[in-house]
Amino acid sequence: MAPPHASTTTVAAPPGAADALSPAVCRRILLTVGRDPAGTGGAAELLGRRAADTVGALAVRRSLRALAAARPPACWRPVFQYRHHPRVHPVQFALAGLNAHVGHDLPLAVVDACRAQGAAPERLEREFDRVAGLLALVEEGIREELLTGPEPLEVADPLTHLLGSWSPGRACDSAWSAARLLWRLQDQAPLAEEFAARLDSGTGLVGRCLLTPRR
């Protein structure tokens, strides 16, 4: 039995964070991570031809599907719970969303892609690395967009240190390890289900820390 499929969601957030967490951004990531390297395919061709089974497209599709979910996975619940908190900075919501996407959606999407393409994770490593690199660029752009303004953060601001504790590179490294383990557990359903549940809750714990309110 294959590891369980769990969906993720992109959620509403306080004013200013909405752009970082909106479905439009998920679609932008989808088109970015699935873009034809030769630049010859349009969006329609991309979605119909080869993006459907790529790691990046499958990961983002999980997020988009979960938009209508009545109960999001544990990794996304902190974003819902803190969305109206007045002392949570918009960039915290953005990074918490990326954390859920990378820490939970991405490893499950690797397994989805392996199954769809009939390939072991090792054969998809270059594709995964490309997605990881593009997600790092997305994270950098979010920081620049949401942390610039008339009152930029100071070095001594606790939020500066909090945001520095999360790295897309380290998160993607963990996601790759988790995906490889999930793939090897696919014939051991109870262990696969337990590991996927722990991955979900552990990613949620990191997200909750990223959403620590400012004083």
Side-chain angles (χ1 to χ4, degrees), residues 1-193:
M1 179 177 177
H5 289 245
S7 60
T8 58
T9 185
T10 303
V11 300
D19 289 342
L21 297 171
S22 68
V25 170
C26 279
R27 293 187 183 94
R28 184 179 68 188
I29 296 172
L30 171 59
L31 293 174
T32 300
V33 299
R35 182 176 298 134
D36 187 342
T40 58
E45 180 185 359
L46 163 70
L47 293 174
R49 177 166 53 86
R50 72 180 184 85
D53 295 337
T54 62
V55 172
L58 289 168
V60 174
R61 187 175 300 157
R62 284 179 170 272
S63 299
L64 296 176
R65 281 202 312 260
L67 285 168
R71 179 176 174 81
C75 61
W76 283 98
R77 287 174 205 156
V79 180
F80 279 96
Q81 293 165 355
Y82 284 86
R83 67 186 185 277
H84 296 308
H85 201 294
R87 294 198 300 274
V88 177
H89 193 283
V91 75
Q92 292 177 257
F93 285 95
L95 293 188
L98 276 179
N99 170 70
H101 182 75
V102 174
H104 179 255
D105 290 17
L106 191 54
L108 293 177
V110 170
V111 176
D112 292 342
C114 288
R115 189 178 300 111
Q117 299 182 29
E122 288 71 20
R123 290 184 57 188
L124 301 181
E125 187 169 6
R126 289 183 62 185
E127 181 183 336
F128 180 91
D129 288 343
R130 183 170 64 91
V131 172
L134 290 167
L135 285 170
L137 292 176
V138 169
E139 186 264 357
E140 181 180 353
I142 287 173
R143 287 179 185 265
E144 291 179 356
E145 180 178 353
L146 296 180
L147 289 179
T148 56
E151 298 181 2
L153 293 178
E154 297 180 357
V155 174
D157 192 316
L159 181 56
T160 303
H161 299 279
L162 177 65
L163 299 179
S165 67
W166 191 82
S167 160
R170 291 193 297 268
C172 284
D173 287 344
S174 296
W176 178 247
S177 296
R180 294 176 65 195
L181 183 53
L182 277 170
W183 180 253
R184 283 163 176 74
L185 290 176
Q186 62 181 325
D187 294 325
Q188 303 180 55
L191 286 176
E193 292 172 2

